[in-house]
Amino acid sequence: MCGIMGYIGPKQAVPIIVDGLNKLEYRGYDSAGVAVVNDGKLSVTKTVGRLAKLAEVIAQKPLSGQVGIGHTRWATHGRPSDRNSHPHTDCNKRIAVVHNGIIENYLKLRNELQEKGHIFLSETDTEVIPHLIEEYYHGDLLAAVRQAVIRLEGSFAIVVTAADEPERLVVARKASPLIVGLGQGENYVASDIPAILNYTREVYILDDGELAEVTATGIFVSDFAGNPVRKSVFHVQWDAVAAEKGGYEDFMLKEIHEQPRAIRDTLAGKIDKENKRVVLPEVKMGRTELQKIKKIFITACGTAYHAGLVGKYIFEKLTRIPVEVDVASEFRYRNPIIDESMLTIVVSQSGETADTLAAMREAKARGTRVLAITNVVGSSVAREADDLILTLAGPEIAVASTKAYTTQLLSIYLLGIFIAQELGTITDAERAEMVDALLGLAEQVEKVLNTEAKIKEFAEDFKDKENIFFIGRGLDYYVSLEGALKLKEISYIHAEAYAAGELKHGTLALIVEGVPVFALATQPDLYEKMLSNIKEVKAREATVVALANTGDHELKHSVDYVLHIPKTLPIFTSILAVVPLQLFAYYAAKSRGCDVDKPRNLAKSVTVE
Ligand code: AGP
């Protein structure tokens, strides 16, 4: 989510670091900073805002030094501010660290370190790292970092510099990308290839569980246990633009593939694995407040609205609290019957959508408590809500929302289980089963992504179609809406989603030979009904693509194509079912030569009415 750049060699570090961070600008960030070591002293400059702001501050107070680290931050723990910006240091300002990822056990480590007298200055999870290294530092930075990282749970890519050891940087990686750029008499470290392309195309790509000691003339890679690791050099063939997309052709495809990581990051710190409970640190409602909720309103736009519809199903099923969902542009003008006995949930990737913001303010003005599900810390929606669930999808660049949607669904699952566990409307066994299912979703999305080639192949068959229908019942209907929107907004093929039971009330008139129909049939309790609807459209010679759970062997006799998703609890299938539809939309659009990242007429964040 954030950007990392480090340098060690004969040149001044800061210009190289700032240039590298500039190449990572596309990733989105809210603050930036650098640290350099010179003459036995560590200097840190960091500020909320863009890199240009950081450059201004540095121009007023130049930093010299031939070894240094830099960071652009996408806030996850702690709002955007100077104090929360990276690099973070130890108590004596002798060690500086920049970090990408999420330290799941940071609160426990922070308490342990504070009891030992460490003083913390920020609200971040990252700040525990320099203090932990400080705790273990006895003159050997590599050894201290090694001891520190084995205490960390979660995901991290870190770069460490120390005033007492200007001759080396130490880096470590677990579940967050980190590379070492190989120079001549100088070396570079970065979170992503674009940062170092101006300097080298020879890189070591660190793997999870690896550390590296980086000097100007050498790189020693080892695992967390200290065993040396031999790395082969990866020669970067990409140009700068391709490198920004991590080698994917488009940001949208990159973000579709980032979904397992985004799911893991969004889950991080929200599951008490020992007791199989959901913990939502930024939701301040407890049993008392939750018992007072007589109704839940959900309001959002576009894809976020489709997530809200899934929320209706989830919250009503798990908590038995009635839920009403409305698009924000309608909600804000229809004088909604809403008061302090209700909870309003707003869902917004950007946290700045004008209609959603206005709807939230309208709801607040009528006395309701507001909970926001958003991807941007410090966004208007995040700042004005009473409670917050952050999707940690990282910056979503493509206009068509993918990883934001699936992490919105995940956040809704977490909230539904949280409310139900607090109200006691689910049993301990049901809760444990759901928590186990949540923990398996990221890997199951990976399995769906492995069917990409098959989806790409049959997407070609549909590229000349002008109308495609999506049908489903219950949760599958809500996912159908999202599948239709994805296809429309990037391929420009006209697509409509219908509750499958509604077809015979008019739309069936449009179903004739060769008309493509995606039929989602993942819900066991509605399966027979869906089978009837599939036969209904097949009888009109439609071309039917069914989406079913793995192990379903019946549908293949009734349809033209079958896509399978791994089995999970029926209430969680939406997060898996949408992935084939995202990939289908992407490849259909590519086969029609569309600009999938920047579709015509659309903006990423609709900040006007
Ligand atoms: C999603 O593919 C669309 N780009 C659009 O519908 C989007 O979901 C909608 O504009 C809401 O945006 P938000 O989540 O940032 O509020």
Side-chain angles (χ1 to χ4, degrees):
M1 289 176 249
C2 317
I4 286 177
M5 180 70 178
Y7 172 78
I8 187 164
K11 302 186 184 79
Q12 284 301 308
V14 168
I16 294 172
I17 290 169
V18 173
D19 173 66
L21 293 177
N22 266 308
K23 297 295 182 297
L24 301 178
E25 275 232 290
Y26 67 91
R27 295 162 68 104
Y29 64 97
D30 48 59
S31 48
V34 292
V36 290
V37 171
N38 193 30
D39 282 345
K41 187 170 171 296
L42 174 72
S43 304
V44 178
T45 298
K46 57 186 187 176
T47 176
V48 69
R50 312 298 290 173
L51 277 168
K53 172 91 176 299
L54 177 67
E56 276 173 30
V57 177
I58 291 171
Q60 287 153 18
K61 191 173 172 256
L63 292 173
S64 57
Q66 295 164 254
V67 55
I69 58 179
H71 189 262
T72 49
R73 179 178 184 244
W74 171 273
T76 56
H77 293 71
R79 59 189 171 72
S81 66
D82 293 356
R83 276 185 323 121
N84 288 335
S85 308
H86 301 206
H88 288 286
T89 66
D90 66 316
C91 298
N92 303 314
K93 294 194 178 12
R94 303 293 294 168
I95 297 168
V97 175
V98 292
H99 164 233
N100 276 3
I102 292 155
I103 305 303
E104 287 183 28
N105 61 335
Y106 82 97
L107 285 173
K108 177 167 165 277
L109 292 170
R110 186 180 174 119
N111 293 337
E112 176 191 315
L113 290 159
Q114 282 174 321
E115 281 167 17
K116 291 178 176 173
H118 290 265
I119 307 295
F120 284 80
L121 305 176
S122 81
E123 307 158 298
T124 67
D125 56 331
T126 300
E127 196 183 356
V128 299
I129 302 173
H131 290 284
L132 206 52
I133 295 169
E134 175 189 8
E135 197 58 29
Y136 294 124
Y137 186 70
H138 307 294
D140 182 339
L141 187 63
L142 179 61
V145 173
R146 194 187 306 285
Q147 285 179 276
V149 295
I150 56 181
R151 296 287 313 279
L152 301 177
E153 293 171 16
S155 57
F156 53 87
I158 62 172
V159 183
V160 186
T161 186
D164 297 323
E165 302 196 22
E167 73 287 354
R168 59 183 174 169
L169 293 171
V170 176
V171 305
R173 176 204 156 136
K174 181 186 169 210
S176 188
L178 195 61
I179 61 172
V180 180
L182 314 180
Q184 301 297 325
E186 57 196 353
N187 287 308
Y188 313 84
V189 292
S191 52
D192 210 344
I193 284 173
I196 50 99
L197 274 185
N198 273 353
Y199 309 101
T200 179
R201 285 183 171 272
E202 311 292 306
V203 303
Y204 284 156
I205 298 178
L206 291 189
D207 290 305
D208 283 359
E210 291 181 349
L211 278 153
E213 175 191 35
V214 181
T215 68
T217 54
I219 298 153
F220 166 65
V221 182
S222 60
D223 63 19
F224 284 6
N227 305 305
V229 173
R230 284 182 60 76
K231 300 297 287 182
S232 49
V233 176
F234 173 74
H235 179 78
V236 180
Q237 307 279 3
W238 305 327
D239 63 24
V241 173
E244 282 184 3
K245 298 167 188 170
Y248 289 98
E249 198 170 331
D250 299 284
F251 279 113
M252 184 178 175
L253 189 58
K254 176 171 179 269
E255 288 156 8
I256 289 172
H257 282 269
E258 284 176 340
Q259 291 183 113
R261 172 80 270 138
I263 288 169
R264 289 189 178 101
D265 285 349
T266 300
L267 270 181
K270 299 191 181 86
I271 297 279
D272 168 357
K273 289 177 186 164
E274 197 178 326
N275 301 302
K276 294 196 189 287
R277 291 177 67 84
V278 169
V279 288
L280 296 177
E282 312 213 22
V283 173
K284 302 177 184 58
M285 293 181 285
R287 177 191 295 265
T288 309
E289 293 79 13
L290 293 169
Q291 283 173 329
K292 291 176 188 164
I293 297 172
K294 296 294 171 272
K295 183 173 182 178
I296 294 173
F297 274 87
I298 304 175
T299 189
C301 300
T303 286
Y305 166 69
H306 297 153
L309 290 169
V310 171
K312 171 180 171 63
Y313 184 96
I314 298 293
F315 296 138
E316 288 188 343
K317 184 172 180 66
L318 297 184
T319 73
R320 304 312 296 159
I321 298 173
V323 180
E324 185 174 337
V325 191
D326 206 350
V327 290
S329 55
E330 290 296 310
F331 179 88
R332 65 183 291 194
Y333 292 117
R334 65 177 175 80
N335 191 15
I337 302 168
I338 188 169
D339 63 32
E340 63 283 349
S341 71
M342 300 168 192
L343 171 68
T344 299
I345 298 172
V346 294
V347 186
S348 175
Q349 188 284 129
S350 62
E352 301 298 347
T353 299
D355 283 323
T356 306
L357 210 42
M360 179 176 91
R361 289 166 179 162
E362 184 66 29
K364 284 194 86 164
R366 294 164 188 262
T368 172
R369 187 179 183 116
V370 173
L371 183 149
I373 297 175
T374 184
N375 197 39
V376 183
V377 178
S379 63
S380 302
V381 158
R383 283 198 313 273
E384 296 180 28
D386 302 298
D387 304 283
L388 181 62
I389 300 180
L390 267 182
T391 54
L392 298 179
E396 189 174 67
I397 313 292
V399 166
S401 188
T402 52
K403 61 178 184 172
Y405 173 74
T406 45
T407 51
Q408 286 162 0
L409 292 187
L410 183 66
S411 302
I412 283 166
Y413 299 155
L414 286 163
L415 182 58
I417 297 168
F418 173 76
I419 297 174
Q421 84 187 8
E422 296 307 310
L423 294 179
T425 49
I426 54 174
T427 65
D428 291 353
E430 286 167 333
R431 189 193 69 240
E433 185 186 31
M434 286 182 230
V435 167
D436 285 342
L438 288 186
L439 293 168
L441 289 175
E443 190 179 340
Q444 290 177 315
V445 169
E446 281 163 355
K447 285 185 181 150
V448 180
L449 290 171
N450 290 339
T451 67
E452 177 175 14
K454 179 182 172 188
I455 295 168
K456 177 179 180 183
E457 190 185 318
F458 88 70
E460 293 280 333
D461 297 348
F462 294 89
K463 69 178 182 180
D464 298 324
K465 298 293 181 182
E466 287 313 308
N467 296 287
I468 296 184
F469 292 88
F470 292 77
I471 61 172
R473 286 175 175 260
L475 285 170
D476 285 341
Y477 167 49
Y478 303 142
V479 175
S480 298
L481 287 165
E482 176 57 14
L485 176 63
K486 285 283 99 44
L487 186 63
K488 271 185 279 194
E489 66 178 327
I490 62 171
S491 75
Y492 314 142
I493 294 172
H494 177 241
E496 288 307 324
Y498 280 88
E502 267 298 283
L503 277 179
K504 54 187 168 301
H505 299 287
T507 309
L508 203 56
L510 297 179
I511 307 296
V512 295
E513 185 179 350
V515 169
V517 177
F518 274 74
L520 279 65
T522 73
Q523 300 299 298
D525 59 338
L526 297 166
Y527 184 81
E528 291 307 321
K529 293 291 179 194
M530 266 314 290
L531 220 43
S532 307
N533 293 131
I534 288 169
K535 290 190 169 84
E536 202 174 48
V537 292
K538 271 313 284 178
R540 276 84 183 169
E541 304 297 319
T543 302
V544 180
V545 180
L547 197 146
N549 298 311
T550 300
D552 179 303
H553 300 299
E554 187 165 351
L555 274 171
K556 65 187 175 200
H557 305 303
S558 316
V559 298
D560 303 276
Y561 305 82
V562 185
L563 299 175
H564 288 106
I565 58 170
K567 272 195 169 172
T568 182
L569 292 180
I571 59 169
F572 297 152
T573 59
S574 306
I575 202 168
L576 304 179
V578 74
V579 178
L581 305 186
Q582 293 168 344
L583 288 168
F584 174 75
Y586 173 80
Y587 283 110
K590 291 298 285 183
S591 65
R592 291 163 65 97
C594 298
D595 178 350
V596 293
D597 282 340
K598 299 187 184 71
R600 66 189 183 204
N601 309 337
L602 301 180
K604 181 58 188 170
S605 180
V606 185
T607 54
V608 295
E609 271 202 73

